[in-house]
Amino acid sequence: MATTVETKVPKNEPLFGKKERVLLTDPLLDNNPITIQVLGVCSALAVTSLVYPSLVMAVAVVFVCAFSSLVTSLLRNAIPKAVRLIVQLVIIATLVTLVNEALKAINYPVYKQLSVYIGLIITNCIVMGRLEAFAMANKPWRSFLDGVGNGLGYGLILVVVGAIREIFGKGTLFAGSPIVMRFIGPGEEYIIDTATANQWGSSYFGWYANNNLMVMSVAAMFVIAVLIWWQRSRNPKLVDIS
Amino acid sequence: MGDFVNIFIKSAFIENMILAYFLGMCSFLAVSKSLSTAFGLGLAVIFVLGITMPINWLINEFLLVNFELEFLRFIVFIAVIASTVQLVEMVVEKYSPGLYAALGIFLPLITVNCAILGGSLFMVSREYNLTESIAFGLGGGFGWFLAIIAIAAIRERIRYSNVPPALRGLGMAFLLTGLMGLAFLSLSGIDPAVFGGWNPAK
């Protein structure tokens, strides 16, 4: 009798095995939310003129994506199919409100810089896309990891695009962030500053004139296009046939 | 009236929702493969933006600001948008089957289109009044419509061109949108005052 009961108990799977690792690493490159799945592009383009706001945005999206997946997955058997979209929207909107209020309290300048784009995480397709595609059908822990992975894949593109645009457009990195200011000294917020000649980077980068095209919003389109080009020429399986 | 025309022109051409703010980019990229579907989605966006903007303005002004409930703004706005879209879909289906056939499948998609929620959030942060927000809704929708029609037409033609394989589809769409954004930048020279007799000096 005891043996039949034991067979019904599922095999004890490791908490962080191979499957879990794939959930985290796959969205970083080969199944990237922005360049492959084409979800959540709106905010990726608009906030990336500097690295620091992009980083804040990335952290916000990882948080919302992970915890909305977790909550939805916990509730997945209780949510009626007919109203699931509304329920998901309410879960996401609550989390985004939390992020919004927290950011307003912690770092007001960045909050002003990101303006409506924090609110637009609600309609960021990547969050809702993962809820529909993964969290509604999987267990909480794996859904949480999937959310973290996709948030990180999204954040990776954001930070890379932000870094490229900031270096070429302004000749700086992490402008406006408190951490870097403390490292370099009071009042000097740039690691590489081509505009002024009194910092360590100036002897190497003093010749560089800022490229104003990179500061404009359209530059994000070109940078992402080049990223997509690079990624798809590396891996021909990803090429769009249609 | 001058303000109405002024904001309409400004939101449609100078600060185009897609090309300057990238709102609604996901559906913009996904649905712009053929001209006819792009046309349907564009119409639906004008329609829904024009309706939800005044509703959200009224709710924001008389409920949220009045009772100091601004922290509920996101949830209330998205609920208004979702229910309006549902309502509009039912009304259109009953009274105008022709329009429903054209917009039908696109209406549910619009709930998660950033352009709609983004429009309402911009309306709040720029402190528009009721007329201005109607103008912003219609103008922004029209600008979105123009942009998606243009990119769909270009993408239909570019299928016959010899594009490097890795750039085919998505990569080319990004490049084209960027070039179109550059082209629209030249419209920023328009002086909206010409159309409405509005004097910026005042």
Side-chain angles (χ1 to χ4, degrees), chain A residues 186-214:
Chain A
E188 298 173 1
E189 47 190 274
Y190 305 138
I191 295 178
I192 307 166
D193 191 338
T194 57
T196 57
N198 58 358
Q199 276 149 26
W200 65 265
S202 59
S203 55
Y204 302 103
F205 299 99
W207 48 269
Y208 181 71
N210 290 343
N211 182 353
N212 285 329
L213 176 71
M214 291 310 250

Side-chain angles (χ1 to χ4, degrees), chain B residues 20-34:
Chain B
Y21 294 113
F22 306 115
L23 296 177
M25 207 68 211
C26 313
S27 29
F28 176 80
L29 290 171
V31 187
S32 62
K33 279 180 187 151
S34 84

Side-chain angles (χ1 to χ4, degrees), chain A:
Chain A
M1 208 51 200
T3 49
T4 53
V5 174
E6 242 167 50
T7 50
K8 275 182 193 166
V9 175
K11 255 193 292 172
N12 202 3
E13 289 181 3
L15 201 56
F16 196 83
K18 198 171 175 235
K19 276 186 195 163
E20 279 74 17
R21 205 175 63 232
V22 168
L23 283 178
L24 268 183
T25 54
D26 201 37
L28 287 182
L29 208 57
D30 281 348
N31 197 14
N32 191 284
I34 292 180
T35 59
I36 306 297
Q37 303 175 35
V38 208
L39 296 173
V41 187
C42 327
S43 46
L45 297 163
V47 301
T48 51
S49 65
L50 296 171
V51 182
Y52 187 52
S54 327
L55 201 63
V56 173
M57 186 74 185
V59 172
V61 171
V62 171
F63 173 82
V64 173
C65 210
F67 283 93
S68 62
S69 284
L70 180 67
V71 174
T72 311
S73 178
L74 285 171
L75 294 175
R76 68 186 188 283
N77 294 325
I79 300 175
K81 271 273 177 290
V83 294
R84 68 181 193 285
L85 292 180
I86 305 276
V87 175
Q88 289 168 5
L89 274 177
V90 170
I91 293 171
I92 300 170
T94 314
L95 287 164
V96 171
T97 308
L98 280 179
V99 169
N100 191 53
E101 298 296 315
L103 186 63
K104 205 197 280 184
I106 296 169
N107 196 336
Y108 195 70
V110 172
Y111 169 77
K112 280 310 246 186
Q113 217 169 348
L114 290 174
S115 70
V116 300
Y117 292 101
I118 286 283
L120 287 176
I121 299 176
I122 299 173
T123 49
N124 194 328
C125 330
I126 173 72
V127 181
M128 212 152 161
R130 286 333 287 176
L131 296 189
E132 270 293 282
F134 200 89
M136 286 299 284
N138 283 282
K139 288 189 177 145
W141 170 238
R142 300 192 60 195
S143 306
F144 181 77
L145 285 178
D146 181 72
V148 173
N150 277 283
L152 285 177
Y154 171 92
L156 180 72
I157 296 286
L158 238 72
V159 172
V160 167
V161 174
I164 294 174
R165 285 180 69 187
E166 192 174 340
I167 289 174
F168 286 105
K170 293 201 159 174
T172 63
L173 259 183
F174 289 102
S177 90
I179 305 164
V180 175
M181 269 198 284
R182 246 187 287 123
F183 270 121
I184 307 289
E188 298 173 1
E189 47 190 274
Y190 305 138
I191 295 178
I192 307 166
D193 191 338
T194 57
T196 57
N198 58 358
Q199 276 149 26
W200 65 265
S202 59
S203 55
Y204 302 103
F205 299 99
W207 48 269
Y208 181 71
N210 290 343
N211 182 353
N212 285 329
L213 176 71
M214 291 310 250
V215 183
M216 290 191 312
S217 47
V218 286
M221 301 287 322
F222 300 129
V223 174
I224 293 190
V226 171
L227 284 181
I228 291 173
W229 192 0
W230 169 75
Q231 191 178 12
R232 295 194 178 183
S233 21
R234 269 182 69 249
N235 188 351
K237 261 186 282 176
L238 301 173
V239 170
D240 202 345
I241 306 161
S242 65

